[in-house]
Amino acid sequence: MKKFRKVLDGLTTSSPGATVGSPSCGSAAGTPTAAPTPKEIDVQETLVSENFQLCKTVRHGFPYQPTALAFDPVQKILAIGSRSGGVRILGRPGVDCYCQHESGAAVLQLQFLINEGALVSACADDTLHLWNLRQRRPAILHSLKFNRERITFCHLPFQSKWLYVGTERGNTHIVNIESFVLSGYVIMWNKAIELSTKTHPGPVVHLSDSPKDEGKLLIGFESGTIVQWDLRGKKADFRIYYDEAIHSVSWHHEGKQFMCSHSDGSLTLWNLRNTTKPFQVTFPHGKIQKDARKESCKPILKVEYKTCRNSEPFVIFSGGLSYDKAGRRPALTIMHGKAITVLEMDYPIVEFMVLCETPYNNEVQEPYAVVVLLEKDLIVVDLTQSNYPVFENPYPMDIHESPVTCTAYFADCPPDIIPILYSIGAKHKKTGYSQKEWPISGGTWTLGSHTYPEIIITGHADGSIKFWDASAITLQMLYKMKTSKVFEKPKPGEGRAAELVEEDPFAIQMVSWCPQSRMFCVVGISAHIILYRFSKYDANTQIVSLEVRLQCDSDDVISPSENENNPSFSEPGSHSPQPHHQHQHPASPGSRTPEGIKDSIPCLKVKDRAVRVPPGYQSELVIQLLWVDGEPPQQITSLDINSAYGLLAFGNCYGLAVVDYLQKTVILCMSTLDLYGSTDPYQRLTRSPRRNRQSTSGLTELTDNQQSIDMERNKSPTSESRENSFTRSRSSSVSSIDRDTKEAVTTLQFGESYGRKNDVLPTPCLWVGTSLGVVLLIPMSIPTDQEERMEEPVTMGVSGAVLMLKGSVLRFSFLDCMGALIQPPYEVWRDHNAPEDPDRLRRRKLVHFSPSSSQDACGDGHLAVVCSERQAKVFLMPSQSCLFVHNITESSFVLRADVVSVCNSVCLACFCANGHVMTLSLPSLRPLMDVNYLPLTDMRIARTFYFTNGGQALYLSSPTEVQRITYSQEMCDNLQEMLGELFTPIETPEAQNRGFLKGFFGGNAHTFDREELFGEAAAGKASRSLAQHIPGQGGVEGMKVAASGVVGELARARIALDERGQRLGELEERTALMMTSAEAFSKHAHELMLKCKDKKWYQF
């Protein structure tokens, strides 16, 4: 806790690390400004560095570029691997865990240790990893890196501790998953095939043990060779040489037949009694042509052959469609008896998996669902109903339905807003889903005690907006709206929109939402703004449109004498951008010049007829910027709306406009330079800015490694000299200003403040920040009476208040003299479409937070926090004295800054382009946290990073996923309680009684002892150069959790290490030593293998 007193004596001091007496503090001339009267500010700062810690909380959305799929049929949890090395583990709603391989190598295959609370992943860098799932945050216990061979396929039999690993060379290795070391038992490719065979069989593409006899291993090679290997006899039982490449193999549960899928679109069924030729060959989608030849078909990439007790078996496969039908969508085919059903998918199929009632491969399978992993979606099909409906997905897998272009995060919403949005959004839900419960129902999750209403808003490339309930680290869609509905549909390839943006003319650039008044405003890429009001009733409405000419004309050159004349702010100057009001005079007669140059026309056409709008957000006003002399309007770079004032302000690289949305008029439209009057700190002459049209394509895709300068301009527009470099030092020197006078409005904030130094009482003001580091204050006069407010004009006056910072201004915020955050005033929500109540007068109810309301002890005034790309400053108003300054970064620049409440106090949170996330105390700007978290690899992160209250933030970690993080120590401490449990102790279902005759004649599967074959005593040691064992960084928590597991399970054998290196004693002694030896687990893993090599796993 820190308490400080500061006497304003005209001198400015800085926080630690800042420049003392920086000349940039204070007035426009760069000299410190003395306060009119010395005042004492007494602020009790409660935040210390111990209040902050940065960690990831949860990831939402669809795993980007998925590659692998696995399912635990007992625990009922699903795992998805991705190309970037990520693993998502999903259970019941709320159970959603993200893990990441440090190497970043693509996940090739995933295998659950069924009902053991562990997962094996095989990655493209030829490394196997064992994950412990018995902790809320899974961790790697072991890794095994293959040095000389590439992994192509893995298979782990149920209730076995030996993992079969096939390689690109055609060899099959065997790994002990307890010790994660290789067995000396190897099935070499040249032993598996006949010596007379001259060609290499290719990589191993399939491994499975026979359901009839676990001592038989079926090996499928890519070339079409299939071998059944007798593990005991170390010889091949049979070999099949087929002339079509094999993609997958699936057994009948009795172990007498298996089915293969091939590259020519065929399925072959093989009987073990006669392996010389297939028992059956089918081309499910290959029709016989007129010349009696079969149609050529695409490969069948995977097939699953599943039996049922009371019906014909299911044969389910992906691919195999004929080549001749161009444009056919990817399909999953379900063959059940003679019925063939083709389910067309929206995206290519990556992998699918049939879910069955039993984990045993030698029992009737009874399939009940099939999980289909697509490139951009996850669907689950119900196999128990003849029409095969899909289950309603409880996870938010459709965030990327249209690419996300912007985000907003609100962690302190009014509690009634979520139920209201949900009730309206529920009316538009899709129907036709399966009535059964979602089958991926594993894990446990309870609503934690640290929950409060949170909403995430995403804006999309197609103009849609989605509201999500983000409370309690879950995500559920509440409400969706389409902003494109206010416009006429542009004809493809023609029209004004096509010339500005090739596609996605409705893409959302930024949103502004006031949860209290429920006013909502969006900015689109076609230089348009739409204002929405919320109503619980439907209505017929006529969309009101305003058109604004916010662009300098080509002959705008003024002299220094003109510059000193202080043009009136209530009337546009002779060279200011001109407003156009469409509802007053719809079309300018000279919208096209004789040469055909476009002028005074918007990019999109607003619907000019009355439209029926459903309950929810209903458009109140559309504002569009106009073409000027053949130049399209520049994109909007800043926006603020205030429901108490009834005003909306926005700016771009040319200037500022303010709209009175109650009276539907433009009250200010002016170039940035005109806003200064005679107070321009750079003493510039106005001249025509360069007409370099910004490219607007690229906003919507936000792909990896996209470092578009246009997108950077959209995020934080400055002069055109900014280059496509995130670390380039940018100067705001006078010499650079002289080269280009374009100065963008980068941030806006309405609030009660002091527009002039001699003001006694706060008045409504608009704070304007520019790309050159200048802060302007514009005081406003707003009629207070409700009737007058609807008739009398709002006036905006000239102000000499100009403050300076280094770099483009990003954020304003206001504190009272006690250090408490001052919220902007707002209007309490009322439904404009509600039925009239004659007994009740419909008046606007305004809520104001006056800066002087709680400051009897320290007098009038308030603190203004201003943050730019380079530094933060705290000013005392109305004296405009700079109390504190902190240079945030010299080598990089701030991308996002917000003043947020944490632990009943406030701080300034910043995210820099060099990846640092930092927090500064307020008002003293002491550094509290600085973590090198996330290097900026593409502009998607910069565009979507968003801080909110409660120590939380989010960003788009991939085009399909939202990553939430916390920078609060309290939330990090409570995170374990909030996360779901992946593993639940469940009894493994008993195997069905096989009966005497079946057991007698069905082979000696139950007497097969893999330990006797694969253990070091029998098979010896594998070559050390073949694979390298790497102890995992599983963490002590994982060891202790696993050590306390059920006696006899694999985790117990993995953890039971003796800390002093002595040989293990009796069972009771080992159990007592488990917890103390857990912390030494990683470095003693190799010792466990040596000491326990002669013991069976169930003897521990």
Side-chain angles (χ1 to χ4, degrees):
M1 182 177 291
K2 176 173 179 178
K3 187 173 182 179
F4 67 90
R5 288 179 185 274
K6 182 154 186 72
V7 178
L8 302 178
D9 54 2
L11 298 175
T12 58
T13 58
S14 67
S15 61
T19 312
V20 177
S22 169
S24 61
C25 304
S27 68
T31 55
T33 306
T37 55
K39 285 193 181 79
E40 190 180 76
I41 295 180
D42 187 0
V43 175
Q44 191 92 7
E45 283 197 7
T46 58
L47 290 178
V48 292
S49 58
E50 287 73 23
N51 293 125
F52 296 91
Q53 181 187 343
L54 193 72
C55 69
K56 294 179 180 179
T57 53
V58 67
R59 183 172 290 210
H60 303 296
F62 180 77
Y64 184 56
Q65 295 180 328
T67 54
L69 185 68
F71 183 72
D72 187 325
V74 179
Q75 288 289 320
K76 296 193 182 303
I77 55 175
L78 186 81
I80 301 172
S82 72
R83 193 178 298 174
S84 59
V87 178
R88 279 283 286 285
I89 305 170
L90 302 166
R92 67 176 67 247
V95 178
D96 186 341
C97 180
Y98 174 76
C99 320
Q100 176 68 44
H101 293 92
E102 284 187 13
S103 67
V107 178
L108 297 179
Q109 201 175 347
L110 295 169
Q111 288 263 302
F112 276 105
L113 278 65
I114 294 174
N115 206 26
E116 297 287 355
L119 175 73
V120 173
S121 59
C123 294
D125 60 353
D126 306 305
T127 307
L128 298 172
H129 304 275
L130 180 67
W131 292 85
N132 175 19
L133 307 184
R134 291 180 175 235
Q135 57 194 81
R136 292 178 192 250
R137 283 193 175 275
I140 292 176
L141 295 172
H142 294 283
S143 297
L144 187 66
K145 167 78 172 170
F146 280 72
N147 296 322
R148 297 192 309 219
E149 298 197 52
R150 309 220 65 181
I151 298 170
T152 55
F153 195 88
C154 298
H155 170 62
L156 179 66
F158 180 41
Q159 294 182 322
S160 165
K161 69 170 185 177
W162 298 97
L163 174 73
Y164 301 115
V165 182
T167 69
E168 195 174 43
R169 291 187 181 179
N171 303 324
T172 302
H173 300 275
I174 300 167
V175 177
N176 184 321
I177 55 170
E178 295 170 3
S179 58
F180 239 58
V181 295
L182 276 176
S183 165
Y185 193 115
V186 185
I187 306 170
M188 304 299 289
W189 68 270
N190 53 355
K191 298 284 180 65
I193 64 171
E194 288 179 317
L195 296 175
S196 59
T197 308
K198 295 180 180 179
T199 56
H200 190 279
V204 174
V205 295
H206 177 80
L207 293 167
S208 61
D209 51 327
S210 167
K212 191 176 177 181
D213 185 350
E214 293 175 341
K216 311 285 188 182
L217 183 68
L218 196 70
I219 307 172
F221 298 93
E222 189 179 62
S223 64
T225 301
I226 301 171
V227 175
Q228 180 166 290
W229 185 261
D230 184 346
L231 292 165
R232 298 182 200 84
K234 299 183 181 178
K235 60 183 177 61
D237 285 344
F238 62 80
R239 299 179 176 93
I240 296 171
Y241 299 100
Y242 196 64
D243 54 3
E244 285 295 338
I246 290 174
H247 285 281
S248 71
V249 182
S250 184
W251 281 99
H252 186 281
H253 81 274
E254 291 178 351
K256 299 173 184 177
Q257 295 178 342
F258 61 85
M259 185 176 286
C260 302
S261 69
H262 299 279
S263 57
D264 63 347
S266 67
L267 296 173
T268 55
L269 189 62
W270 300 82
N271 195 312
L272 266 57
R273 290 182 180 176
N274 180 10
T275 57
T276 56
K277 63 177 183 178
F279 169 65
Q280 183 182 338
V281 180
T282 55
F283 287 82
H285 295 298
K287 297 177 182 176
I288 299 176
Q289 296 173 326
K290 293 179 181 178
D291 55 0
R293 288 192 305 172
K294 292 271 187 184
E295 281 183 311
S296 59
C297 296
K298 298 175 184 177
I300 294 179
L301 301 176
K302 182 177 180 180
V303 65
E304 292 218 35
Y305 186 22
K306 300 297 181 184
T307 51
C308 305
R309 275 191 190 83
N310 303 318
S311 66
E312 295 285 324
F314 278 92
V315 176
I316 302 173
F317 61 89
S318 60
L321 298 175
S322 59
Y323 277 107
D324 66 337
K325 294 183 180 174
R328 280 192 73 170
R329 295 195 292 179
L332 183 81
T333 304
I334 302 173
M335 299 169 63
H336 190 212
K338 294 182 179 180
I340 299 179
T341 305
V342 179
L343 302 179
E344 288 194 330
M345 304 294 167
D346 292 332
Y347 307 103
I349 297 171
V350 175
E351 172 72 291
F352 74 89
M353 186 163 287
V354 179
L355 310 188
C356 300
E357 297 288 354
T358 176
Y360 297 93
N361 66 347
N362 59 359
E363 295 180 357
V364 178
Q365 297 296 286
E366 290 294 343
Y368 59 90
V370 55
V371 179
V372 188
L373 178 63
L374 308 175
E375 276 189 3
K376 293 186 178 180
D377 203 359
L378 176 75
I379 65 169
V380 182
V381 180
D382 185 353
L383 294 178
T384 62
Q385 298 181 50
S386 57
N387 61 336
Y388 304 128
V390 298
F391 290 88
E392 184 175 7
N393 195 328
Y395 317 124
M397 292 289 184
D398 58 347
I399 291 174
H400 62 285
E401 186 178 18
S402 172
V404 177
T405 52
C406 72
T407 61
Y409 190 8
F410 301 87
D412 50 359
C413 305
D416 60 335
I417 193 73
I418 289 178
I420 288 174
L421 286 171
Y422 181 79
S423 64
I424 289 176
K427 297 173 184 175
H428 305 287
K429 278 200 167 184
K430 295 177 182 176
T431 56
Y433 293 111
S434 170
Q435 299 302 308
K436 297 199 170 182
E437 286 192 9
W438 180 251
I440 304 163
S441 56
T444 54
W445 180 76
T446 54
L447 198 64
S449 57
H450 301 271
T451 60
Y452 41 83
E454 299 175 67
I455 285 181
I456 291 171
I457 300 174
T458 54
H460 300 264
D462 64 354
S464 61
I465 301 281
K466 291 180 180 178
F467 288 76
W468 306 84
D469 177 6
S471 310
I473 72 167
T474 60
L475 197 70
Q476 182 181 13
M477 193 164 82
L478 294 170
Y479 174 72
K480 178 181 177 181
M481 57 188 283
K482 295 181 179 178
T483 63
S484 58
K485 287 189 173 180
V486 304
F487 300 106
E488 301 285 0
K489 289 183 180 178
K491 295 177 182 177
E494 60 180 64
R496 290 163 289 187
E499 296 181 36
L500 178 61
V501 273
E502 304 260 330
E503 53 186 348
D504 300 321
F506 310 114
I508 306 298
Q509 278 188 292
M510 64 182 83
V511 298
S512 178
W513 185 48
C514 175
Q516 288 80 14
S517 66
R518 302 184 191 172
M519 297 295 292
F520 184 61
C521 198
V522 302
V523 172
I525 196 172
S526 298
H528 64 274
I529 299 172
I530 311 173
L531 179 65
Y532 291 89
R533 284 188 188 271
F534 186 83
S535 174
K536 294 190 285 186
Y537 304 91
D538 57 2
N540 286 316
T541 180
Q542 179 80 35
I543 301 169
V544 180
S545 172
L546 288 178
E547 294 177 354
V548 179
R549 186 185 174 102
L550 191 57
Q551 198 151 342
C552 297
D553 290 330
S554 56
D555 56 351
D556 291 341
V557 179
I558 66 171
S559 66
S561 60
E562 285 178 310
N563 193 28
E564 293 166 5
N565 288 336
N566 295 341
S568 169
F569 278 69
S570 57
E571 294 180 8
S574 61
H575 63 284
S576 296
Q578 301 292 319
H580 285 250
H581 312 280
Q582 186 181 16
H583 66 291
Q584 294 175 358
H585 38 269
S588 172
S591 61
R592 284 182 182 270
T593 63
E595 294 82 13
I597 298 174
K598 294 181 181 180
D599 188 56
S600 302
I601 54 174
C603 298
L604 301 170
K605 185 174 182 347
V606 178
K607 289 180 180 176
D608 55 4
R609 60 188 183 278
V611 291
R612 187 79 176 168
V613 288
Y617 274 103
Q618 301 167 351
S619 56
E620 168 95 352
L621 177 66
V622 178
I623 304 166
Q624 294 190 87
L625 298 188
L626 300 172
W627 285 66
V628 176
D629 294 334
E631 286 290 324
Q634 293 293 304
Q635 291 174 15
I636 293 163
T637 56
S638 54
L639 171 77
D640 193 36
I641 179 173
N642 189 280
S643 56
Y645 301 159
L647 299 178
L648 182 154
F650 62 94
N652 67 3
C653 61
Y654 285 118
L656 168 72
V658 181
V659 171
D660 182 341
Y661 69 77
L662 296 177
Q663 296 186 23
K664 308 292 190 296
T665 57
V666 179
I667 57 175
L668 177 74
C669 183
M670 192 165 281
S671 69
T672 317
L673 191 52
D674 286 338
L675 295 174
Y676 292 105
S678 60
T679 60
D680 181 7
Y682 297 115
Q683 300 298 309
R684 288 163 291 179
L685 299 179
T686 318
R687 67 183 185 195
S688 174
R690 279 185 281 178
R691 294 295 184 81
N692 208 355
R693 172 181 165 181
Q694 291 182 4
S695 166
T696 54
S697 60
L699 164 71
T700 60
E701 273 309 308
L702 298 178
T703 52
D704 283 341
N705 303 317
Q706 183 171 344
Q707 301 182 354
S708 163
I709 183 170
D710 298 308
M711 295 169 59
E712 189 179 349
R713 278 197 198 115
N714 295 340
K715 175 68 183 171
S716 179
T718 63
S719 70
E720 290 183 304
S721 59
R722 175 179 293 187
E723 293 182 4
N724 184 18
S725 169
F726 296 118
T727 56
R728 180 172 176 266
S729 174
R730 279 176 272 158
S731 168
S732 57
S733 65
V734 177
S735 60
S736 67
I737 302 303
D738 289 341
R739 287 196 299 270
D740 193 343
T741 57
K742 189 182 292 186
E743 181 178 6
V745 175
T746 53
T747 186
L748 296 162
Q749 179 74 56
F750 286 107
E752 301 283 308
S753 188
Y754 302 86
R756 302 170 182 83
K757 288 187 179 182
N758 55 358
D759 283 355
V760 178
L761 294 174
T763 58
C765 288
L766 175 62
W767 286 66
V768 182
T770 77
S771 56
L772 299 184
V774 180
V775 178
L776 294 153
L777 271 76
I778 302 177
M780 303 178 295
S781 175
I782 302 175
T784 53
D785 182 76
Q786 180 162 331
E787 285 74 20
E788 289 181 4
R789 176 65 186 85
M790 299 305 294
E791 296 171 2
E792 297 293 323
V794 174
T795 57
M796 308 188 76
V798 178
S799 171
V802 177
L803 312 172
M804 295 288 294
L805 286 87
K806 293 180 188 172
S808 179
V809 182
L810 298 178
R811 187 70 59 219
F812 299 120
S813 193
F814 310 119
L815 309 178
D816 63 23
C817 288
M818 303 299 290
L821 189 65
I822 302 172
Q823 300 289 350
Y826 64 87
E827 177 189 1
V828 177
W829 175 74
R830 58 196 176 98
D831 200 328
H832 282 249
N833 295 337
E836 295 286 345
D837 185 352
D839 301 329
R840 196 154 153 251
L841 201 61
R842 292 170 61 87
R843 298 191 65 83
R844 299 176 72 216
K845 183 180 178 184
L846 308 182
V847 177
H848 286 267
F849 301 91
S850 172
S852 57
S853 59
S854 61
Q855 300 175 37
D856 299 332
C858 61
D860 295 339
H862 73 87
L863 303 175
V865 182
V866 187
C867 185
S868 75
E869 290 179 324
R870 294 296 176 81
Q871 63 180 187
K873 289 187 179 182
V874 176
F875 296 93
L876 178 69
M877 305 301 291
S879 69
Q880 301 172 22
S881 302
C882 180
L883 303 185
F884 300 98
V885 58
H886 179 72
N887 293 320
I888 299 171
T889 176
E890 292 294 339
S891 59
S892 184
F893 57 95
V894 179
L895 287 164
R896 179 81 199 186
D898 289 289
V899 173
V900 291
S901 60
V902 182
C903 301
N904 300 315
S905 188
V906 290
C907 69
L908 174 65
C910 303
F911 172 55
C912 291
N914 60 9
H916 284 250
V917 176
M918 55 189 74
T919 57
L920 304 172
S921 70
L922 289 175
S924 66
L925 298 177
R926 285 178 300 114
L928 296 171
M929 181 188 77
D930 187 349
V931 178
N932 188 1
Y933 169 66
L934 182 75
L936 187 67
T937 53
D938 53 67
M939 285 306 296
R940 180 188 62 248
I941 298 169
R943 175 172 294 283
T944 58
F945 203 100
Y946 204 101
F947 290 104
T948 189
N949 294 328
Q952 296 198 74
L954 66 75
Y955 59 93
L956 214 65
S957 57
S958 75
T960 62
E961 295 167 288
V962 170
Q963 177 69 57
R964 289 163 70 178
I965 62 173
T966 181
Y967 46 96
S968 159
Q969 179 68 57
E970 181 185 9
M971 187 160 183
C972 288
D973 295 340
N974 296 324
L975 190 57
Q976 289 294 325
E977 176 196 334
M978 300 168 73
L979 294 173
E981 291 270 9
L982 291 171
F983 179 78
T984 332
I986 300 173
E987 285 287 328
T988 301
E990 290 187 10
Q992 294 175 2
N993 186 3
R994 290 167 59 86
F996 173 75
L997 292 176
K998 277 192 176 181
F1000 188 76
F1001 293 109
N1004 54 351
H1006 290 281
T1007 61
F1008 176 62
D1009 189 349
R1010 294 183 177 90
E1011 183 72 34
E1012 290 182 0
L1013 286 174
F1014 307 145
E1016 193 175 318
K1021 291 183 179 179
S1023 168
R1024 286 193 174 184
S1025 62
L1026 186 60
Q1028 175 191 359
H1029 175 261
I1030 305 166
Q1033 304 295 320
V1036 174
E1037 182 203 353
M1039 316 305 165
K1040 291 178 178 176
V1041 170
S1044 61
V1046 181
V1047 174
E1049 290 189 332
L1050 293 173
R1052 177 165 188 152
R1054 204 177 306 129
I1055 304 304
L1057 300 176
D1058 187 352
E1059 194 175 35
R1060 297 177 181 83
Q1062 300 171 351
R1063 180 165 289 279
L1064 299 175
E1066 295 296 320
L1067 176 64
E1068 292 79 8
E1069 182 186 353
R1070 290 195 212 104
T1071 306
L1073 288 169
M1074 270 184 176
M1075 298 304 289
T1076 57
S1077 63
E1079 296 181 20
F1081 165 79
S1082 292
K1083 61 182 180 181
H1084 291 303
H1086 190 64
E1087 290 181 30
L1088 173 65
M1089 183 270 297
L1090 296 176
K1091 293 171 192 167
C1092 308
K1093 64 184 179 181
D1094 297 324
K1095 296 201 174 187
K1096 299 180 176 58
W1097 66 279
Y1098 52 78
Q1099 290 178 322
F1100 281 83

